[in-house]
Every structure is written in structure tokens, then in C-alpha cells.
Amino acid sequence: MPELPELEALRDYLAPRLEGKRIAKVWTSPKLSFLLRTPPDEFARQLTGGTFERSWRRGKFLVFDINGQHLVINPMLGGRLQWTAAAEKVAAATVFRLTLEGGEELRFLDTVKMGRVYWVPPGALPTIPGWAELGPDALSVSEGEFTQRIRRHPGELKNLLRNQAFIAGVGNAYSDEILHEAGLLPLRKRTTLKVEDINRLHAATGKVLRSAIEAIKAQPKYEPHKQDRSFMAVHGKAKEKCPRCGHRISELTARGEATDFCRGCQH
Ligand SMILES: [Zn+2]
């Protein structure tokens, strides 16, 4: 599931390729167009001839401003954007294709059919499910705001970091990385944290997300629709050695999702 760093690296990659470009042709998949929250014929008609103005991100939503309207993509579990030549083979999971003048193409793929695509007029962003509740972006939330907001959330730290109403952009994988960086256990209750722990958690959030964005952008074979998280310290690394203390990394599984952490250096 793409989280803030994957989406930010993707935005950074796509922005210079898309901005100022005109959409010559739109194709929607007859089988997968139910993922569009706009009737597919309307979607195609309104986007054809449109020009990409700005690419931005809020939490786990990617937004493309086109002719003053917003194309909003929430990839959820398996949504991916592919940047390719129009002549390239079309994957079965392709939901839509926007062919630009010049022959390059932006495709949205979704193997698990859970992603959501919205095409909304200006001012209508808060009508998108989940948008209005979003807290400040996890990449830019200040220490003061983080400290103030965390008081409203008494639960376990892992759930807290994943709560989009607290801060937006962190999911299952990066919450593990942030807690490892902060030296805090995932099931620890927020109410047991001292002020210095909260400050450390805030610093770890920014540090982990920023360095992940850099790591993704530095991947020599970076392709936006593929996800390489080999740079992670603990997530997906169960039974390997902790890079900080050498202890074996532990894993808990709940509802099909793994939580990975180190009992050696997280307390
Ligand atoms: Zn460790």
C-alpha cells in the first residue's frame, strides 16, 4: 500500500512530466471503471483536451489540477500510477489511461480493485470520503501541533500514527519505521509517554518520511508503479537483525497486517 513517501516521490516524478501538458485522449476500462466515482463517459469527455496545471498531495491522496478541476486519486491497498509510452502493452489491471499530446501516457492500475478516483469541481474536495477528517500532513506537522493533537488520542502508538485524523499520510509500514526510529514499542499506550518521548516521536516521523522519500527517489531503476521498500529498517524484515542493535526483529500479525519491531531497542 503506497504511503506518504511513495506518493510524494511519485508526485515529484510526475509533476515536471505532466504540468503544462494537454490530454489528447482518455480511455477507461469497461471492467474496472466502477473504481471511478464519475460515470466513465463523463470522465472521458471532461478530461479530453484538458491541461495538467498542478500536481499536489494531501496525506494519501494525490491531486492533479486539470482545467481548474481536481482529479483525485486515493490508491488505497493496490492502486499504482504508471508513466509510459502510449504504445506500451496495457496491463489487465489498468483502470484508465490519459494519453498526452506527444504520445506519453499516465495510467492508473489497481490489482485489488480498492482504489478510488474522483473528478470534482473546485470547492468540492471536502465532499470526498475521508478528506474533511484529514489531520495536518505528517511531513510538515510542527512539534507544537503534534504535541497538542496527540493529547486527544489515548490509544496504542501504532494505531495513533495510522489515524489519518491525527496526522495524514502514515500507514502500516511507515508507522513501524517511525516507532523503531523513536525507540518506542508499537503497542505502547500514548498516555505513558513523557514530553521528551512525544518530541522524539515527532522528530522520528519527519526524519523517517524525509529519508524514505530520498531513498525512493535515489533508486536507480525507479518506476512509479513498482514499490521497492528494501531500504526499510524493520518493516518486512521479521527474523532479520535489527540494524541498530543486532537483536532479532519480532513480528505480530493482526487482520492480515504485519507489525514489525525490535524488542532490543524499542521500549
Ligand atoms: Zn534494535
Side-chain angles (χ1 to χ4, degrees):
M1 175 170 188
E3 298 179 33
L4 187 153
E6 283 84 21
L7 293 178
E8 187 58 27
L10 172 61
R11 188 205 60 74
D12 194 73
Y13 176 86
L14 289 177
R17 289 168 168 82
L18 291 176
E19 288 169 15
K21 297 276 174 62
R22 199 170 157 272
I23 300 167
K25 207 165 87 184
V26 178
W27 175 89
T28 61
S29 160
K31 272 185 288 183
L32 295 172
S33 60
F34 66 92
L35 297 174
L36 307 176
R37 294 309 195 251
T38 306
D41 50 342
E42 275 296 289
F43 182 85
R45 193 180 58 78
Q46 292 190 25
L47 281 166
T48 305
T51 300
F52 278 93
E53 286 147 3
R54 191 166 79 96
S55 316
W56 53 289
R57 182 192 57 75
R58 187 169 173 215
K60 293 189 256 184
F61 292 86
L62 259 188
V63 188
F64 301 99
D65 292 349
I66 299 167
N67 284 10
Q69 295 225 106
H70 308 291
L71 173 63
V72 183
I73 298 176
N74 184 3
M76 303 291 286
L77 211 56
R80 300 274 191 277
L81 282 164
Q82 183 184 13
W83 175 252
T84 184
E88 185 70 29
K89 190 172 177 287
V90 180
T94 306
V95 180
F96 67 76
R97 300 158 62 190
L98 305 181
T99 316
L100 305 185
E101 277 181 351
E104 277 170 315
E105 216 164 76
L106 182 67
R107 297 178 182 173
F108 180 63
L109 285 69
D110 195 342
T111 47
V112 292
K113 304 179 183 120
M114 280 174 66
R116 288 173 195 153
V117 179
Y118 307 89
W119 171 242
V120 297
L125 287 169
T127 65
I128 292 172
W131 184 279
E133 301 88 87
L134 289 176
D137 198 78
L139 199 55
S140 53
V141 61
S142 70
E143 187 181 271
E145 203 177 8
F146 188 93
T147 306
Q148 199 179 34
R149 298 178 69 84
I150 207 170
R151 293 200 189 105
R152 295 180 222 157
H153 301 274
E156 292 165 356
L157 297 180
K158 169 126 182 172
N159 288 338
L160 169 71
L161 287 173
R162 297 178 61 181
N163 182 344
Q164 303 303 297
F166 167 51
I167 50 169
V170 175
N172 190 46
Y174 287 95
S175 56
D176 283 357
E177 294 295 295
I178 291 167
L179 289 166
H180 178 259
E181 174 64 31
L184 297 166
L185 285 167
L187 301 186
R188 187 160 161 189
K189 292 276 189 350
R190 192 278 298 161
T191 43
T192 67
L193 297 188
K194 299 194 182 86
V195 177
E196 57 265 34
D197 297 322
I198 294 172
N199 292 345
R200 211 166 64 246
L201 186 58
H202 171 260
T205 302
K207 186 180 170 192
V208 163
L209 297 175
R210 275 190 296 274
S211 64
I213 295 167
E214 290 314 310
I216 296 165
K217 282 160 69 172
Q219 286 166 350
K221 289 184 183 160
Y222 174 71
E223 284 186 88
H225 64 294
K226 295 181 182 161
Q227 192 167 278
D228 176 359
R229 285 174 164 174
S230 51
F231 58 85
M232 287 192 159
V234 285
H235 188 80
K237 305 283 171 90
K239 294 181 183 162
E240 290 181 30
K241 279 188 175 171
C242 169
R244 183 164 53 198
C245 75
H247 200 281
R248 236 157 85 104
I249 293 164
S250 306
E251 182 165 88
L252 297 173
T253 313
R255 295 180 301 273
E257 284 187 316
T259 292
D260 299 320
F261 60 100
C262 174
R263 292 181 201 275
C265 61
Q266 290 177 249
H267 305 289

